[in-house]
Amino acid sequence: MAVGVTATAFLRTPFPPLPARIFSTACPIPSKSFFPSILAAKMEAASPAADKMEQETRIDGKKKKKIFVAGSTGKTGKRIVEQLLSKGFEVRAGALDIDKARGSLPQDPNVQIVRADVTVGSDKLVEAIGDAEAVICATGFRPSWDIFAPWKVDNFGTVNLVEACRKIGVNRFILISSILVNGAAMGQIFNPAYIVLNVFGLTLIAKLQAEQYIRKSGINYTIIRPGGLRNDPPTGNIVMEPEDTLYEGSISRDQVAEVAVEALFCEDSFYKVVEIVSRVEAPKRSLEDLFRAIKQN
């Protein structure tokens, strides 16, 4: 998977306080009918072998769900994989370098590492996604002299993933984007962060156009725009706002992963764009309440 430094990774420094609103814990997981299960359909054959496979794919009486993670070896992607495993999911981990992925991702029988390059087109990604029931995209371009890298990964790469999902009927897509992607429309064109992030091949504009493609695709999406990404453990609670609201703030990658994984099942997160940062003084509330409070434009 073409993965490296995400746009929001440049926003490292905490910003002035924001209005504290809402925090997350966990959303109730609805019935398995929320995802059209390709895997489940294959396992319905009435045979001893099929029965054995079905038993092996159950956890707490329910079938495990398989999620494809694009950018699985990135700093946020790895945390997403870890959280999925901790909640009993199977993971198809997309990576450009299989050996690197084997050395950096958890050694777990529920992790299947597959080679995936989002820049090569949707047909190859169909193979990579395989029988996964949902996709979480945590890709980011690698800094280089290639000024088109952000467009290849953060724009065309995301579009390729969406098209691959449409081809095989995967209808749940979570995208990790960035605050300030629509900074110009927000009157933040002179915001230092907006300027710096766009110096690298107009990264935020590339992400914004990918978001717009997702929203018109008909797929069930949740677009998550985090503030500056921190590698340290969470030190505050999550603040969530509607799109084009936050222009400063930071958040732990662990919390971004938490929001991404829980969004898979929260009906209140469906077809929404949300922006997240964390603040020590923010009240602690469930993810269900957090998502419910956001009204999509």
Side-chain angles (χ1 to χ4, degrees):
M1 181 59 55
V3 62
V5 178
T6 58
T8 51
F10 293 100
L11 295 167
R12 301 285 182 143
T13 305
F15 294 87
L18 296 170
R21 293 209 180 168
I22 36 187
F23 174 73
S24 102
T25 52
C27 275
I29 297 178
S31 68
K32 60 185 178 183
S33 62
F34 276 91
F35 291 113
S37 175
I38 297 172
L39 180 61
K42 291 180 179 178
M43 292 184 176
E44 288 178 354
S47 69
D51 290 342
K52 184 175 185 298
M53 289 176 65
E54 176 131 359
Q55 291 175 0
E56 290 175 349
T57 57
R58 287 182 174 274
I59 182 168
D60 297 331
K62 297 182 180 179
K63 287 185 179 179
K64 295 179 183 178
K65 297 186 185 297
K66 186 178 291 185
I67 312 299
F68 177 80
V69 179
S72 64
T73 58
K75 293 179 181 179
T76 301
K78 286 192 290 188
R79 288 166 167 83
I80 290 172
V81 171
E82 291 166 357
Q83 291 217 18
L84 286 168
L85 292 173
S86 72
K87 294 179 182 297
F89 291 95
E90 292 180 349
V91 178
R92 286 180 68 86
L96 270 179
D97 188 330
I98 298 296
D99 291 334
K100 175 185 175 182
R102 287 173 179 160
S104 61
L105 293 176
Q107 301 298 306
D108 190 297
N110 288 315
V111 175
Q112 181 181 7
I113 299 172
V114 294
R115 191 178 190 284
D117 183 347
V118 296
T119 67
V120 299
S122 60
D123 289 339
K124 290 291 186 181
L125 290 171
V126 164
E127 299 175 14
I129 295 170
D131 59 353
E133 300 174 79
V135 169
I136 299 178
C137 179
T139 56
F141 76 97
R142 290 173 174 169
S144 70
W145 293 110
D146 184 358
I147 63 172
F148 297 108
W151 288 87
K152 291 176 181 177
V153 177
D154 295 316
N155 183 276
F156 301 125
T158 302
V159 169
N160 287 336
L161 274 173
V162 172
E163 284 306 302
C165 288
R166 295 176 69 180
K167 287 180 178 180
I168 57 177
V170 173
N171 193 42
R172 190 73 180 106
F173 194 94
I174 312 295
L175 174 68
I176 309 300
S177 185
S178 172
I179 62 170
L180 281 175
V181 293
N182 205 20
M186 297 168 62
Q188 294 295 316
I189 193 170
F190 296 114
N191 185 311
Y194 184 76
I195 295 171
V196 169
L197 291 172
N198 276 319
V199 164
F200 294 90
L202 301 177
T203 304
L204 294 179
I205 296 174
K207 286 180 175 290
L208 178 62
Q209 291 200 9
E211 287 187 12
Q212 292 170 345
Y213 188 90
I214 293 170
R215 296 172 75 160
K216 295 176 181 178
S217 70
I219 202 168
N220 182 354
Y221 65 86
T222 302
I223 297 171
I224 300 167
R225 297 175 176 175
L229 296 173
R230 303 194 308 264
N231 295 325
D232 55 295
T235 55
N237 295 332
I238 297 174
V239 174
M240 183 179 287
E241 297 286 356
E243 62 180 308
D244 302 341
T245 300
L246 298 177
Y247 55 88
E248 56 189 7
S250 62
I251 189 168
S252 168
R253 292 180 189 271
D254 293 323
Q255 291 170 310
V256 176
E258 177 189 0
V259 174
V261 171
E262 296 296 340
L264 287 167
F265 305 105
C266 287
E267 287 186 85
D268 289 305
S269 77
F270 292 179
Y271 301 100
K272 286 185 177 179
V273 180
V274 299
E275 300 185 341
I276 55 174
V277 294
S278 66
R279 299 299 302 173
V280 173
E281 67 273 18
K284 183 175 181 179
R285 296 180 64 183
S286 72
L287 270 172
E288 185 178 25
D289 288 343
L290 186 154
F291 278 117
R292 185 181 298 120
I294 301 300
K295 305 303 178 184
Q296 184 62 46
N297 293 337

